[in-house]
Structures are given as C-alpha cells and as structure tokens.
Amino acid sequence: MLMLSAKKYVYYLPGENNSAKEFEASVNSLIIIGANGSGKSKLGAWMERQNGEDVHRIGAQRSLNFSEHVPLKSYEEAEGEFFYGSPYSDHWGPDKGVRWDWGKSDTTKLIDDYDAALSALLAQQNIDRHHFFDACRKSEEEGRPKPHTPQTVLDKLYAVWHAVFPHRGLIEEDAKFSAVFQQGDEKQLYPGTQMSDGERSVLYLAAQVLCVPENKTLIIDEPEVHLHPSLMGRLWRALESARPDCLFVFITHDVQFAALHKDSPRIWVKSFDGANWDWDFIPNSDLPEQLLLELLGNRKNVLFVEGESNSYDVQLYSALYPDFYVVPSGGCTQVIANTKAFASTEGLHSLKAYGLIDRDYRSEKELEALKRKGVFSIAVAEVENLFLVKPLLRVVAGHFACCNVDEAVNKVIDHIINERFRGQIGRQICQATVATLKAQLSALDFGDVDNDSVSDRFKEAVGSIVPEEELERQKARFEGALSRQDYDEVLRLFNAKDASSSIGHFFGVDNKQYKEKVIGLLTGEAREKVLEALKPFVPVISA
C-alpha cells in the first residue's frame, strides 16, 4: 500500500473470494463505516494482512498507560516494539507475528505499546539531531554556512498538540513528557501520567502516526475512542496534514467524523458472514452526508416525518410507529425529497424508506400520487389536529377526571367548530383555493413544444384552470362541513396550528400545556389508550 505519486494512494479491499482488489484514492484518507457487528474491524485486519510491511494498524483496544520516564532505545529496537510487537527480528513478518498473537486476536487484543511509540519518537528525534549535528560539522569543515535548523519529529508533535489544545502546551525533558498551562504569570507543569484520557489519547495517537516510517498506510480502528468530538476533528486534520505521505484508513462509528471527510472514499460495510464481506462505496446522494451515514447505521426501516427533533409530531410518530427509525425532516417538501433520495441508495442496504406528511389542502388525487411514491398522509389537515380527534379527547377527559366526559368533549367540539373554524373559514377557503391552484399549475403538461407553439400551449394549458370554479368548490366543502357540524370533516380541512392550544381549560389544564400533557400520557399507564385513539387517523405503514 504505497503512495503511487503525488496525491495518489493505493489500498486494497476484498473482491470475489476475498481476493485483494486494488483501488486508488487522490486524498490521503479513507473512511470505513458500518453498523455494529458488520465486520469493520475484521476488514481492517484483512487489509493489514495483504501487505503487513507497509501497513500499521492501531487497534480499537489500546492501553493509555505509559511510564513517567520513557525508556530510551535505538530506533530499530523501538520500531520493532511498536510496529511488529517485538524488538527481535525473528518475530518480524507480514502477519505481524507477536503483535496480534499470530493472528489469533487480530481485533480483540489490548495493545500496550504506548512506551514503545514514545521510545520510537525519541529515537527518531535523536536521529534528526544527529543528522543536523553532522551536517553542521561538515559545513564548518568545508567553510560553508551552516544549514537551517530542521523541523524535528518533536516539533511536529508540538504543532499537532497545539492544534488540538491551543491553550495547553507540551514539552519533553530528559525523556519525560509534561503538559504545560498558564496560571497567572507563571507556567505550571504536570506529568504526562496525570493527563486526562483525552490528552493521553492525543499524545498516543500523535506518537504512533509521527514515528511510522514513510509511505505507510495507517489503519485506525475507532479514532473516536477517548476523544471528545471537538478534539477528534482537530487531531486528525493535523495528523493527516503532518503525514501527507501516508494513507489514513479510519474505521469508525462516528457519522459526524465520517461526514467531515467529504472528499475521501467512503466504504459502507453491510455485513460479514465469517468469511466474506458485503461492502460498497457510498455514492453521492441528495441526502445530507451525515444523515445518510446515520440512516445506514441503523437497523430499522426509515420513516421521514415533518417537524424538528423533539417536536410533538416526532414524539407522537415515534410512539405510533415503534418499528421505524423516525427522522424529522422539517417541512413536507423535504420529507418527500428525503424519501426519494434514500430510496435511490437501496443498493447499499435492505431498508425501506417512507414519508409521512400532513394532509394540508391536498386533493385525494395528489395524496394517491404521493402514496405510490411511498409518502403517506395523516387523516387530518395537520399533526396538531391529532390532539383534537374525538377518541383522544375522551381519553384525556377520562384520565384527568375533572368533569363529565361527554360534556367536556362536546364543549371542545363546539369550540373548535363554532368559534375557531367559523371565525377563520373565509381565510381558510382562500388558502385552500390557492394551494389547489398551485398544485394544478405544477401538474400542467405542455407536451412537445417549439418556439412557435410554446406561447399557445401555455395559454391553452393555463386556460384549463378556472380559479372561480375552484373557489366555489372549496366554499362548498368548508361551508358544508360547518353547516353539518361535521367535526371529523372540519379536522380534515382546518389548518390552524394554535387550535389545539386553546382547549386545555376544558379538561382543567393550562391551554399551553395541553399537548405536553398528552405526550406525557404516552409514558404512563394511559399509553395504549392514547395510541388506540390515534391509530384510526394515521396510515398503516408496514415495516
């Protein structure tokens, strides 16, 4: 796994019958991601075995303990310790021999090589200094100007550390690493053995990366271990920049970290049967990168819904559709777009994706067309109206036992129909008419046109839409529901998000807290009653 040329890196993945198939990358990082148990770590071990001499793999199980004074060794001995697992040449080999118990614990062994990595780092520092000293001596002997001081491996380490911890320094004195921080006018030190897990992890990973010989492939299993997300991105950006000669292969669960590597090839590991991997490259998608990776990592079918995280609709739908991974997507347009986009990635997974939107002012024809695309609608105008349906009102009235159930429910129905709906009916009719006309315009088909016919075709198509007729149709629907006092039809037509925030007092609770109280019932003994009350008003979607 050597760098071919500038900006070209080679790596191997299993092809047919696990034969090594060669790939190229133009950036020095590769992301491998997948669900727990999908075989990601074992794939990393397989990649190492293809060319062990050119690959250094940092396992997920790694010890962060090291000696206060780093053992000083020759570079050859230290390199053998951390790269092969033994300083003795008879243990060296492409299978890494003792490092992974000769393959018995490729992905499970706790690697205790912190001292070895720091020893190799200091040995490399001594080599750098020795070369500089020799160059200066030779320049003196030949009467030439001395060379400029080079950037040593410790200089690179300090630069990486500063990129991650800009307000905390790092020094090495007499084979002892210490952290430095400013306290008032004085600098305070504490030994490396007293560093936090995050600090020790940064030092460990930086040492591993910086002392690896040139043009290696570095496989890092779970780069997020012991690192806060805010530190992880800074660390690996700094290390990738410090070692442009090396290819970094990250095996990760962290979708945010994976999404940060936008230009890197990304491998989705679907499954591993003990002998073979099912994997694929993650293609470009209209879904946000982080969302796509998150969805691929879950084991449930996906349901895109309107609303934001922790909104009432998301909480309701999560309870009503427990077999689905419910994803809030903002508005209905984004729900439709996300459902379509995720369906286009079906080659990566066996999951199904559906959408669930408010009915709004859509016609039955529009709703049927969306349903064929996997996008369903609720039986009321908008999700807030689910808090108003008659069966739920009866559950709420019975639970709070504050009044006669029938009396309270009838008061709510009268309030919604004759105060809220009647008071807004004119504006509602106009909004419904405009929404329907927009839908009709967007559905126009002009057929094949040329420069001479485009104007006539447009006028002909638009002329088929008669706003006056649509206005009268909507008036008949809305006024008919009002005159019949048809509560179910009113809830199908009435778009007023604040209506459900006006009825709490009928049940002895604050109006503003009514929806919160209903959501609270979902966590208690009334949960099943609430769900049964709502189910007739939401579509049946099979997982």
Side-chain angles (χ1 to χ4, degrees):
M1 297 187 184
L2 297 176
M3 188 167 68
L4 286 180
S5 59
K7 299 291 185 179
K8 291 293 181 184
Y9 305 84
V10 168
Y11 59 96
Y12 299 96
L13 290 168
E16 189 174 352
N17 298 321
N18 278 344
S19 59
K21 189 173 181 180
E22 183 178 295
F23 295 89
E24 282 186 13
S26 58
V27 294
N28 71 326
S29 59
L30 169 73
I31 302 294
I32 297 177
I33 194 165
N36 287 331
S38 60
K40 301 186 302 299
S41 295
K42 288 182 172 58
L43 177 58
W46 179 92
M47 294 173 74
E48 181 183 34
R49 287 195 297 272
Q50 305 316 299
N51 192 355
E53 288 295 315
D54 285 323
V55 176
H56 181 57
R57 181 164 60 92
I58 302 172
Q61 309 298 322
R62 41 191 184 256
S63 171
L64 294 183
N65 296 318
F66 62 98
S67 304
E68 186 168 352
H69 288 89
V70 179
L72 297 179
K73 302 176 182 179
S74 69
Y75 180 76
E76 182 179 7
E77 184 180 13
E79 180 193 32
E81 285 277 11
F82 92 91
F83 195 63
Y84 298 98
S86 168
Y88 306 111
S89 59
D90 59 334
H91 286 162
W92 294 8
D95 61 353
K96 297 301 174 68
V98 68
R99 179 170 169 81
W100 304 113
D101 290 339
W102 287 270
K104 296 176 184 177
S105 54
D106 270 341
T107 59
T108 58
K109 183 178 179 180
L110 177 67
I111 296 298
D112 188 6
D113 61 352
Y114 208 139
D115 278 352
L118 293 179
S119 294
L121 198 73
L122 295 185
Q124 181 62 56
Q125 176 76 359
N126 287 334
I127 292 173
D128 292 343
R129 287 172 174 169
H130 181 71
H131 288 165
F132 177 64
F133 182 82
D134 284 351
C136 288
R137 172 178 286 173
K138 187 174 182 180
S139 295
E140 283 183 356
E141 292 172 351
E142 297 176 355
R144 294 184 290 103
K146 293 180 181 179
H148 291 293
T149 304
Q151 185 185 40
T152 66
V153 69
L154 280 186
D155 293 329
K156 294 176 183 178
L157 174 66
Y158 298 152
V160 169
W161 181 272
H162 180 73
V164 181
F165 303 112
H167 304 298
R168 186 148 300 186
L170 179 72
I171 61 171
E172 179 272 327
E173 292 179 340
D174 193 23
K176 178 180 178 180
F177 284 92
S178 300
V180 185
F181 66 98
Q182 195 75 30
Q183 188 169 26
D185 296 330
E186 297 183 1
K187 288 186 176 181
Q188 301 291 324
L189 278 70
Y190 56 92
T193 52
Q194 295 180 20
M195 290 178 179
S196 67
D197 284 352
E199 290 171 323
R200 282 182 288 156
S201 185
V202 168
L203 179 58
Y204 172 82
L205 292 169
Q208 290 272 340
V209 170
L210 293 175
C211 65
V212 165
E214 290 185 350
N215 298 326
K216 301 295 184 184
T217 291
L218 289 152
I219 298 176
I220 304 98
D221 198 351
E222 297 191 24
E224 63 269 22
V225 171
H226 300 301
L227 291 173
H228 188 276
S230 63
L231 303 181
M232 186 168 63
R234 294 202 295 266
L235 171 65
W236 291 112
R237 279 194 297 270
L239 289 175
E240 289 169 50
S241 177
R243 294 302 306 264
D245 57 305
C246 292
L247 172 65
F248 290 75
V249 179
F250 297 107
I251 302 172
T252 182
H253 297 279
D254 193 300
V255 296
Q256 185 177 12
F257 176 72
L260 288 175
H261 288 74
K262 294 181 179 179
D263 298 324
S264 305
R266 289 174 302 283
I267 308 300
W268 176 250
V269 181
K270 306 175 195 177
S271 63
F272 177 60
D273 63 8
N276 299 285
W277 287 268
D278 185 7
W279 65 270
D280 207 341
F281 287 100
I282 297 176
N284 293 326
S285 168
D286 291 333
L287 281 174
E289 185 75 21
Q290 186 171 334
L291 175 58
L292 175 61
L293 295 173
E294 178 185 327
L295 295 180
L296 291 174
N298 106 90
R299 300 293 182 118
K300 293 182 177 181
N301 288 330
V302 179
L303 182 63
F304 294 105
V305 302
E306 296 188 51
E308 306 298 332
S309 299
N310 299 319
S311 60
Y312 291 127
D313 38 356
V314 173
Q315 295 177 69
L316 278 180
Y317 294 145
S318 295
L320 286 163
Y321 298 98
D323 295 330
F324 283 88
Y325 187 73
V326 176
V327 181
S329 303
C332 63
T333 302
Q334 195 59 52
V335 170
I336 296 168
N338 284 354
T339 305
K340 178 181 178 181
F342 192 65
S344 70
T345 65
E346 60 185 2
L348 289 175
H349 54 82
S350 58
L351 303 173
K352 295 182 182 297
Y354 302 97
L356 182 59
I357 60 175
D358 294 349
R359 186 182 185 89
D360 288 322
Y361 299 114
R362 293 181 178 85
S363 67
E364 293 299 331
K365 183 178 179 180
E366 290 178 80
L367 295 175
E368 281 301 317
L370 287 170
K371 189 174 179 179
R372 289 192 292 272
K373 297 177 182 178
V375 179
F376 297 80
S377 66
I378 56 179
V380 292
E382 53 190 2
V383 68
E384 285 78 7
N385 287 7
L386 289 176
F387 292 90
L388 300 172
V389 297
K390 195 181 301 183
L392 179 63
L393 297 179
R394 298 190 67 83
V395 172
V396 173
H399 179 79
F400 289 111
C402 59
C403 49
N404 178 277
V405 170
D406 290 333
E407 183 180 347
V409 171
N410 289 334
K411 285 182 178 180
V412 171
I413 292 173
D414 181 67
H415 168 75
I416 294 297
I417 294 177
N418 295 310
E419 293 184 39
R420 302 307 303 264
F421 185 62
R422 185 188 297 274
Q424 299 180 40
I425 192 169
R427 182 162 60 88
Q428 293 278 319
I429 290 171
C430 289
Q431 289 176 344
T433 302
V434 171
T436 304
L437 293 174
K438 285 182 177 179
Q440 291 174 356
L441 286 169
S442 65
L444 289 178
D445 182 6
F446 299 103
D448 295 327
V449 296
D450 53 32
N451 290 338
D452 295 330
S453 64
V454 63
S455 179
D456 291 338
R457 287 288 182 89
F458 177 78
K459 291 177 182 178
E460 179 183 344
V462 173
S464 65
I465 299 175
V466 184
E468 295 81 6
E469 291 182 0
E470 184 57 38
L471 178 61
E472 289 302 315
R473 192 178 73 83
Q474 295 294 346
K475 285 178 66 175
R477 291 181 66 205
F478 279 75
E479 291 176 355
L482 180 60
S483 65
R484 296 190 307 273
Q485 296 286 288
D486 187 340
Y487 187 61
D488 289 342
E489 181 67 5
V490 167
L491 294 185
R492 277 193 290 271
L493 298 174
F494 192 25
N495 276 259
K497 295 186 181 299
D498 62 344
S500 57
S501 298
S502 67
I503 66 168
H505 64 282
F506 293 108
F507 306 108
V509 301
D510 186 274
N511 285 344
K512 294 181 180 179
Q513 293 183 349
Y514 171 71
K515 287 186 286 188
E516 185 178 327
K517 293 287 187 182
V518 173
I519 295 298
L521 295 180
L522 287 171
T523 62
E525 59 184 26
R527 174 184 174 86
E528 291 306 317
K529 290 182 179 179
V530 172
L531 295 179
E532 286 302 314
L534 293 174
K535 282 180 181 179
F537 302 92
V538 296
V540 175
I541 305 176
S542 300

